[in-house]
């Protein structure tokens, strides 16, 4: 525990805007400077890239919200095999990124081949233009799309890749950072939904983006983290949460409210929760995994030494370790 003398001086919000390289406009929208480049989907083998081992294509999800699925498949799947389906939610603090930006596109390409699996990466709406729960609603749209694909599979009419390769009895929700938060909220919401003939068998939450009103030890220790410093995380929450909400809101803090979801949590599918000791969010991730276990959920908790937030996007060694862990979890369940 940190005493009051150890609480660092957090830079003002103006510095957070500078760090994130964004400007808040008078209409409440955000100008994002320096976003990573986007990549087009590649539904056919690329003759200029003989090392490519996966294909991808974009499928409209909800015309009213301008969302879509970027679907990835192995270029050469195992013969006569049905593959698990991972519905994937990218990171970015609910404010940044896309299923089409280079880092997440490349990660899904590699993961699809590595497992192997079909990866349905969801283009969800971003805050502050669309504050939470907009991203959660888009996640439910994605699950409904997958359920409809499963229903169409038996009678024809499904997407050809899904019809050929998807094992709808082995569907997983996976997300990194903000995407891990989305997985948890979606898993809870789906407890009241009938997704048959599809079956969701597991939740995969990699470095889930959670917070809270009290500062944790890792937040204070790594407050000046070069990837996601504490003042940057605070700004992301202020832009993403509903108007008037603070970090005590349950969208931010899964332990908020004294456990209103206790009975529901024990009915969640088996959950993989991963984190790294060098991430300023790691203490909250550990509290989250412990809370799930205490309330009767089945949890596989993996907290590795070193690393930092979103490390797998920067270091191939950590990326391969993540893909191995996901593959082992998918095979086990």
């Amino acid at each position: 525990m940190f005493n009051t003398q150890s609480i660092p001086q957090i830079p003002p919000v103006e510095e957070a805007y500078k760090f994130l390289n964004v400007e808040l406009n008078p209409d409440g929208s955000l100008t994002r400077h320096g976003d990573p480049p986007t990549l087009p989907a590649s539904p056919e083998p690329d003759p200029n890239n003989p090392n490519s081992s996966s294909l991808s294509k974009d499928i409209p999800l909800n015309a009213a919200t301008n969302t879509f699925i970027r679907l990835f498949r192995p270029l050469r799947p195992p013969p006569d095999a049905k593959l698990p389906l991972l519905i994937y939610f990218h990171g970015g603090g609910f404010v940044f990124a896309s299923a089409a930006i280079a880092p997440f596109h490349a990660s899904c390409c590699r993961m699809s081949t590595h497992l192997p699996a079909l990866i349905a990466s969801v283009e969800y709406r971003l805050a502050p233009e669309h504050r939470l729960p907009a991203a959660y609603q888009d996640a439910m749209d994605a699950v409904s799309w997958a359920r409809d694909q499963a229903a169409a599979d038996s009678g024809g009419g499904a997407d050809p890749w899904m019809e050929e390769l998807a094992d709808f009895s082995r569907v997983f929700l996976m997300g990194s950072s903000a995407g891990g938060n989305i997985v948890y909220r979606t898993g809870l919401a789906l407890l009241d939904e009938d997704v048959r003939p599809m079956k969701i068998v597991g939740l995969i939450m990699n470095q889930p983006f959670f917070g809270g009103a009290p500062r944790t030890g890792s937040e204070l220790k790594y407050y000046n983290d070069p990837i996601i410093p504490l003042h940057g995380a605070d700004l992301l929450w202020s832009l993403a949460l509903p108007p008037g909400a603070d970090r005590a809101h349950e969208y931010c803090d899964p332990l908020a409210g004294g456990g209103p979801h206790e009975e529901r949590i024990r009915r969640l599918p088996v959950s993989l929760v991963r984190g790294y000791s060098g991430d300023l969010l790691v203490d909250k991730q550990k509290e989250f995994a412990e809370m799930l276990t205490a309330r009767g959920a089945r949890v596989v908790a993996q907290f590795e030494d070193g690393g930092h937030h979103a490390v797998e996007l920067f270091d191939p060694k950590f990326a391969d370790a993540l893909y191995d862990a996901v593959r082992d979890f998918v095979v086990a369940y």
Side-chain angles (χ1 to χ4, degrees):
M1 295 296 291
F2 283 72
N3 59 36
T4 55
Q5 282 74 35
S6 65
I7 296 176
Q9 182 66 43
I10 307 300
V13 68
E14 293 80 11
E15 293 300 316
Y17 277 100
K18 290 180 182 179
F19 178 86
L20 296 177
N21 202 13
V22 296
E23 294 179 55
L24 187 63
N25 301 316
D27 65 356
S29 66
L30 206 64
T31 298
R32 300 163 176 86
H33 301 287
D35 277 354
T38 59
L39 296 177
S42 302
E44 301 292 338
D46 183 356
N48 298 317
N49 184 10
N51 296 321
S52 176
S53 58
S54 64
L55 303 176
S56 58
K57 63 179 173 181
D58 291 339
I59 300 171
L61 181 57
N62 187 328
T65 56
N66 200 32
T67 53
F68 64 86
I69 299 287
R70 177 158 289 189
L71 185 63
F72 298 82
R73 58 158 289 177
L75 177 60
R76 298 178 183 85
D80 303 318
K82 291 287 189 177
L83 304 181
L85 171 64
L86 274 64
I87 303 175
Y88 178 79
F89 305 96
H90 65 76
F94 300 106
V95 172
F96 295 103
S98 161
I101 68 167
F104 291 117
H105 177 94
S107 180
C108 287
C109 282
R110 292 183 62 195
M111 190 159 49
S112 176
T113 303
H114 191 92
L115 265 67
L118 284 168
I119 311 291
S121 183
V122 182
E123 178 76 352
Y124 57 86
R125 289 170 291 170
L126 299 179
E129 294 85 354
H130 306 282
R131 290 176 175 267
L132 295 174
Y136 303 149
Q137 294 162 350
D138 297 341
M140 293 296 286
D141 283 350
V143 173
S144 295
W145 168 81
R147 179 196 60 205
D148 292 345
Q149 291 289 308
D153 180 55
S154 58
D159 176 86
W161 291 3
M162 299 285 278
E163 186 173 8
E164 175 191 359
L165 296 173
D167 181 352
F168 291 106
S169 68
R170 299 173 63 217
V171 178
F172 297 78
L173 305 185
M174 177 179 174
S176 294
S177 192
N181 178 305
I182 293 172
V183 166
Y184 173 60
R185 300 296 310 184
T186 305
L188 287 175
L190 287 173
L191 294 175
D192 296 326
E193 301 292 327
D194 184 358
V195 298
R196 293 176 296 179
M198 182 175 73
K199 183 177 181 182
I200 297 175
V201 296
L203 309 179
I204 302 169
M205 292 164 277
N206 177 51
Q207 295 182 285
F209 185 43
F210 292 125
R215 300 299 192 188
T216 66
S218 60
E219 286 177 331
L220 297 173
K221 182 177 181 181
Y222 299 113
Y223 77 97
N224 204 26
D225 182 89
I227 303 299
I228 180 171
L230 188 54
H231 63 305
D234 287 350
L235 177 56
L236 291 174
W237 282 119
S238 73
L239 294 171
L241 289 169
D246 60 19
R247 294 191 317 275
H249 194 282
E250 64 176 323
Y251 293 168
C252 175
D253 188 351
L255 282 68
H261 303 296
E262 181 167 358
E263 184 276 330
R264 298 164 62 77
I265 284 171
R266 69 170 59 96
R267 295 192 285 123
L268 286 171
V270 60
S271 298
L272 172 63
V273 182
R274 300 190 85 249
Y276 296 96
S277 65
D279 183 1
L280 86 164
L281 305 178
V282 68
D283 282 358
K284 199 66 182 183
Q285 295 158 3
K286 289 180 177 180
E287 289 179 11
F288 170 67
E290 292 165 0
M291 179 273 290
L292 294 181
T293 300
R295 294 177 184 173
R298 295 173 296 158
V299 178
V300 178
Q302 297 177 353
F303 290 96
E304 310 293 342
D305 290 335
H308 53 75
H309 200 70
V311 65
E312 71 277 0
L313 299 179
F314 303 91
D315 188 327
K317 178 184 69 175
F318 282 94
D320 288 340
L322 170 64
Y323 304 151
D324 286 345
V326 173
R327 181 192 59 203
D328 293 345
F329 181 77
V330 168
V331 168
Y333 296 100

